[in-house]
Amino acid sequence: MPSSTSRPVDDPARPGHDLVVVANRLPVDSRTLPDGATEWVTSPGGLVTAMESVMQTVDSGAWVGWAGSPGQEPDPFDADGMSLYPVRLDQEDIERYYEGFSNATLWPLYHDVIVDPEFHRTWWDSYVTANRRFARTAAPVANEGGTIWVHDYQLQLVPRLIREERADVRIGFFNHIPFPSVELFSQLPKRNQMLRGLLGADLIGFQRESDTQNFLAAVRKLLGYHVDGQTISVPGLGAAPVREVVAQTFPISIDSSKVSALTEDEEVRERAEQLRRDLGHPQTIVLGVDRLDYTKGIRHRLKAWGELLGDGSIDPQETVMIQVATPSRERVEAYRQLRDEVELTVGRINGDHSSIGRPAVSYQHRSFDRRDMTALFMAADVVLVTALRDGMNLVAKEYVASRPDLRGVLVLSEFAGAADELRAAVMVNPHDIDELKAAILRAMAMPVEEQEEAMRSLRRQVMENDVQAWAHSFLQRLEHSGASVREPKPTVRLTGESATDPAALDAALDTFAATPRILIASDFDGVLAPIVTDRDAVRPDPAALAALRDLSEMPGVATALISGRALDDLDAHARMPSSVVLVGSHGAEVGALPPWMQAEVLDSAALSMTPEKDALLASITENLRQVARAHPGVEVETKPSAAVLHTRNARGRGGHNATESALEYAVNLPDVTVTPGKEVVEFSVVHTSKGAAIETLARASAADAWFYLGDDVTDESVFGRLGENDVGVKVGGGDTAANHRIAGTEDVAAVLTRLADLRREG
């Protein structure tokens, strides 16, 4: 149990903090001891589990949140090495702010309206009041120039409220749940206030790329702010200048090493064995672990299980299903109804199919501690994660981390955020009961060799991308955000036309080349090939192409070209071997993949065109052609999923005027990614970016670090994702988030050749 002490918030001896986490709940719950004293114990929530290990690595960390009981908040206190600052919520706040607006309005709206959201003006008023209380508690806690990291949908107004009080701090916001499409989000009565609240942050993080794009579309359509890739230009508060706010994808993870280590604990191993004995040594144990929430697909799962038992596909004497349903929001009517339905369904299945001493479904409506949960995962042959909509779903990752034996099968909903990363799972659409039944049977019958192959891939993803990496990635990106309202750090944002110190670049290449597994990627036009007026007359540098081909054949090296050109066009001009992955249309098109990438790369179906997208693209193309006809020299290029306005050959101010017309037209476009570049503006109906492509390729190749060469503003979505060990090289002038620069395309071949030489020597 964590020890705790209490000190007044205005105690002059109490220091400020470099990192302040703001969340709806504190990471601890109170417990009254027999002598009347209060003890604080770590609470079991998902955010707490994710952030616990992160906060323990911070020298001066604080957490602001509600202590869990209505009425007067306790004084600030220390627990588990953190300084905790409670926020007061009265009973009315709990009913209106938390149970009302947060969980009966926002939660269902953000989860695709699985149940109808409720809208009440008094709930909104309480939401505003509660958010102001959180902001007022958090603002004075941070050190000068410190970082405040706000979490989740209950506190979406807090970033702006803190910004009004503390212009000196960096503010991050992370949304743990999905962000809805602009059509659904537009239903929210106070939608613009919500967006402006979030835009008080310097960096806004989301679980999935689709969530990020939904948010950017909402900002563009509802507020009319200029959006350039992932960067939003936000008018300053009062006399403040325009601020740049970045929206980016950061899939959350778990403390995977800690979870995996529990599997070596003899007591946990014995619990797993005892569980199988208690269930009568069934041949197969199928497990579901969820909060009792309508988004988790528990009813769909039970329906599929009942039908499998009913049609004889599963023998209840050989197979047992365990359903853990952790109590959740039991004062909210939708959750009370769900519990009644689930328990009625479980009772019916057991009444029809159980024998004495052997339930068909072992239903557990209670919480399990981490050790018991690990034992459950170790005992389970199949785990079902069938969420109808989920920001991430850490249960999927916890199961994978709990199986160093490489046994077990994960059945994973395509609507959970984890599906973007855990591609080797058995994917399923839980709305299709027949498909769900088939997936369960496939998982139960999967041969051991296939289980091991899939689990090895899943574990590589989970073990190498843990919660510490997630937090480090977010905080590092936050450190480099908000440059327009603060003096930029010279090592972060480079300006002017001069090149980086050659010695510094060479040292970076030397370190990078010694990294075990690396990804080397490059833009095409303006990098490997000089930009020319006639796009079809482009001539890439043979020496640069040769160096890239050379690198692609080296052990531990993955290579790629990531271009705005259509894939076929890129392939025709680059003429690269199959060992170099080609990515066209800013990430919307992916060419032939080497075998090592097949299991992990983005599902091409997610990038496929639909009749609706075809119609939207046709409309965009026609509008851009109207713009082009009005400005001689302006051209429109069509791609499989995009239309591009080219202004390079325009006369006089024609290019500028055409660009302005195109961007004005873009303001009211739904569900379209607009990407301005060097004398081009691309309108894509498939939501992706070069930055998203580099992250996908890095995951797919299990790269420890990546290297990227780019020259255009579209490459900033890559440079903005640079990690501690990554190397970004800007080719030519202009502001950039790259950490190195070379003068022009004539220097690219030398850089790639040097990198090849260093790798070969290593």
Side-chain angles (χ1 to χ4, degrees), residues 39-40 63 118 141 167 209 277 302 321 406 660:
E39 183 178 49
W40 296 90
W63 191 304
E118 299 180 43
V141 172
E209 189 65 23
R277 290 195 294 269
L302 290 173
M321 178 182 182
L406 302 182
E660 289 297 310

Side-chain angles (χ1 to χ4, degrees), residues 372-537:
D372 284 338
M373 190 58 66
T374 302
L376 278 169
F377 287 141
M378 293 173 68
D381 302 291
V382 177
V383 164
L384 305 180
V385 175
T386 58
L388 306 180
R389 193 77 163 93
D390 218 336
M392 176 53 62
N393 195 292
L394 297 180
V395 166
K397 296 188 175 184
E398 289 169 354
Y399 178 55
V400 170
S402 301
R403 300 312 300 247
D405 60 351
L406 302 182
R407 299 296 177 86
V409 183
L410 173 63
V411 176
L412 180 58
S413 166
E414 64 189 65
F415 302 110
D420 287 354
E421 300 175 276
L422 305 183
R423 305 301 301 169
V426 176
M427 294 295 174
V428 66
N429 173 6
H431 296 278
D432 187 334
I433 300 301
D434 290 333
E435 182 180 320
L436 180 54
K437 290 165 62 179
I440 293 172
L441 293 176
R442 176 188 166 195
M444 292 173 58
M446 185 175 290
V448 170
E449 296 80 7
E450 190 176 343
Q451 290 183 35
E452 291 179 348
E453 181 180 358
M455 191 59 72
R456 186 176 290 108
S457 172
L458 295 172
R459 281 183 61 81
R460 183 176 67 248
Q461 176 64 36
V462 171
M463 301 305 292
E464 293 182 1
N465 297 279
D466 61 9
V467 69
Q468 288 87 2
W470 165 77
H472 175 79
S473 175
F474 185 95
L475 292 172
Q476 185 180 58
R477 185 66 182 89
L478 177 57
E479 179 68 19
H480 301 331
S481 298
S484 59
V485 295
R486 285 179 286 269
E487 283 299 316
K489 294 184 178 180
T491 56
V492 174
R493 186 162 281 279
L494 307 171
T495 59
E497 303 294 329
S498 61
T500 302
D501 175 13
L505 177 55
D506 197 61
L509 294 177
D510 196 1
T511 301
F512 177 80
T515 305
R517 292 173 300 185
I518 56 177
L519 166 65
I520 299 169
S522 175
D523 189 8
F524 185 75
D525 293 281
V527 179
L528 298 181
I531 292 177
V532 293
T533 302
D534 182 359
R535 298 190 305 276
D536 294 331

Side-chain angles (χ1 to χ4, degrees), residues 41-59:
V41 295
T42 302
S43 58
L47 174 60
V48 175
T49 302
M51 290 297 297
E52 183 181 21
S53 61
V54 174
M55 292 298 288
Q56 290 173 354
T57 66
V58 177
D59 292 334

Side-chain angles (χ1 to χ4, degrees), residues 558-580:
T559 53
L561 287 180
I562 306 176
S563 173
R565 285 180 179 260
L567 183 63
D568 289 344
D569 190 24
L570 176 64
D571 190 20
H573 287 96
R575 299 184 179 277
M576 300 303 288
S578 59
S579 54
V580 179

